[in-house]
Amino acid sequence: EKGYETGEHAPGLKLGGCGAYKAAHHIIKTHAKVWHSYNNTWRREQRGMVGISLTSGWGEPVDPHSQTDRDAAERYIQFHLGWFANPIYRGDYPEVMKNYVGKKSAQQGLGTSRLPTFSVQEKTYIKGTSDFLGIGHFTTRYVLQKNFPFLQVSSYHTDHDLAELVDPNWPAPGPKWLYSVPWGFRRLLNFVKTQYGNPLIYVTENGVSETVQCPQLCDEWRIQYLKGYINEILKALNDGVNVKGYTAWSLLDKFEWNKGFSERFGLYHIDFKNKNKPRYPKASVDYYKKIISANGFPNPREVMS
C-alpha cells in the first residue's frame, strides 16, 4: 500500500485505488508458487516449513453493542490480515473485501472490480500454502463506520468505509502510530485461531521504537511494552491458540523504511555517528535476557545470586 498506492516507500508508485491490490495479488500467487516448489522438490529431504509473515493491528469496535461498529472492526481486520491470510487459508479474498471494492468500483463506472480475481485453479493452488503463519503485531485501533463519498479519488484507505481512533490514555512511547495496547494482541491471536483453523503461529515481529533518544539507555517503556504483550500471548496460549515462538522486534537499532535511522526499535543502541557503529545494551536487554533464561516471566521474589 505504501509502495504502490501512496508512494511513501519504494518503489514509490502512486497507483491510487488499484496498485496495492495488484501488488498483493502477485505476492499471494508468488508465495503459493514458492510453497509448491519447496513442497515438491525439497520437503521430503529437508523436512522444512514454508510459511508467510503478515503484519496486522487489531481493530476493536468503538461501541461493542453497535452492529455497524462491529462490522467496521471486522472490515479493518479483513482488509489488513484477511487480505493475504484468507486466500492462503480459505482460498479467496474475504467476502467483505470483494463486496466493498466491487461496489465502489461499480459506483465509479468501472466494468470490473479494482480488486483482482483468482481463477478456480488459482484458488485451489493457493489454498493451504502455509505450514505456519508468522504474525507481526504492534498496536490496536478503535474502529467505527465512516462513509467516504464515492466521487473522491479511489484508494485502499477509503474502500473500507471506516475511521480509526485511539484512546488518548494509551501509552505512546514511540512514533505517533504505535500505541501500547497489549490486550489487542490476544484478540488478534484468537481471531487467527477461529478464522483459519488454529494454524501454527510464530510471532515474527513485536516491539516498540523510541522517538526521544534516551542517553541513559533507560527504556523502561519498552520493558513495560514487552511485558504486557508477552503476557497477552501467554493468555492466548491458555485460550488454545497454537503459538510456538516469539521474536522481539528488534535486536539492534537499524534502518527503518523511510524513517531511516531516526526510529529506534532495538534492544541495543547503535551509535550511527561513529564509523565503527558501537552497540550498547539498553535496559530492556537485561529484562529480555531474564525472560529468555526463565522461558517465561522470572519470579519477582527470586534473588539473583
Side-chain angles (χ1 to χ4, degrees):
E1 183 260 330
K2 286 186 165 59
Y4 293 86
E5 178 107 15
T6 64
E8 292 171 65
H9 291 177
L13 301 179
K14 296 180 181 178
L15 307 171
C18 63
Y21 296 134
K22 281 184 179 175
H25 200 66
H26 290 306
I27 287 169
I28 293 162
K29 291 204 289 186
T30 309
H31 162 80
K33 188 163 188 178
V34 171
W35 186 91
H36 281 287
S37 171
Y38 186 84
N39 196 52
N40 297 334
T41 312
W42 301 107
R43 188 188 297 275
R44 192 178 292 111
E45 180 187 334
Q46 295 183 348
R47 297 182 186 175
M49 293 195 300
V50 178
I52 192 165
S53 183
L54 305 175
T55 300
S56 180
W58 173 250
E60 182 76 8
V62 168
D63 178 2
H65 304 294
S66 157
Q67 189 61 49
T68 54
D69 283 5
R70 290 206 304 269
D71 290 346
E74 172 79 11
R75 286 199 302 281
Y76 175 91
I77 299 295
Q78 295 294 0
F79 268 80
H80 287 84
L81 183 68
W83 184 8
F84 294 86
N86 219 74
I88 289 168
Y89 284 97
R90 302 176 77 163
D92 200 4
Y93 290 122
E95 285 300 314
V96 72
M97 261 190 109
K98 294 195 287 184
N99 293 341
Y100 268 70
V101 182
K103 179 180 69 181
K104 301 226 171 198
S105 301
Q107 286 172 343
Q108 293 169 304
L110 301 174
T112 56
S113 175
R114 288 181 280 104
L115 183 70
T117 55
F118 295 113
S119 69
V120 174
Q121 291 87 349
E122 284 172 338
K123 289 177 187 178
T124 307
Y125 187 72
I126 292 163
K127 187 177 179 181
T129 57
S130 205
D131 304 319
F132 67 88
L133 178 60
I135 289 284
H137 175 74
F138 294 91
T139 194
T140 284
R141 294 286 184 268
Y142 279 121
V143 180
L144 51 76
Q145 167 91 16
K146 180 181 180 181
N147 293 332
F148 289 91
F150 69 83
L151 294 172
Q152 67 185 68
V153 179
S154 64
S155 84
Y156 164 76
H157 272 292
T158 57
D159 279 343
H160 27 43
D161 278 354
L162 57 84
E164 301 174 27
L165 309 175
V166 296
D167 184 333
N169 294 318
W170 288 344
K176 60 180 184 287
W177 63 271
L178 209 172
Y179 292 78
S180 180
V181 196
W183 53 261
F185 202 5
R186 182 184 183 183
R187 297 186 186 195
L188 178 67
L189 290 168
N190 272 282
F191 176 88
V192 169
K193 176 191 167 194
T194 54
Q195 287 275 312
Y196 309 125
N198 202 14
L200 176 64
I201 295 172
Y202 287 93
V203 177
T204 45
E205 292 186 31
N206 174 241
V208 66
S209 63
E210 64 235 41
T211 44
V212 180
Q213 194 174 317
C214 184
Q216 290 81 33
L217 306 173
C218 51
D219 56 345
E220 177 62 30
W221 66 88
R222 183 173 285 107
I223 291 171
Q224 292 307 316
Y225 180 98
L226 291 170
K227 184 179 186 178
Y229 276 75
I230 292 170
N231 194 37
E232 292 298 318
I233 297 170
L234 288 171
K235 291 178 190 175
L237 274 166
N238 288 333
D239 298 335
V241 181
N242 192 12
V243 184
K244 274 287 186 279
Y246 174 85
T247 310
W249 191 261
S250 61
L251 180 67
L252 311 170
D253 290 337
K254 70 211 166 324
F255 192 83
E256 277 291 332
W257 301 89
N258 55 340
K259 298 288 189 285
F261 298 111
S262 66
E263 207 167 293
R264 295 172 177 266
F265 275 88
L267 299 173
Y268 282 84
H269 174 84
I270 309 288
D271 182 357
F272 292 114
K273 294 189 174 79
N274 186 316
K275 72 173 178 16
N276 294 322
K277 309 287 185 291
R279 299 153 188 201
Y280 304 99
K282 302 173 188 177
S284 53
V285 167
D286 191 49
Y287 180 73
Y288 194 52
K289 272 183 182 174
K290 286 175 182 168
I291 289 177
I292 291 168
S293 60
N295 195 27
F297 291 114
N299 187 335
R301 294 177 182 170
E302 186 178 340
V303 178
M304 304 303 283
S305 55

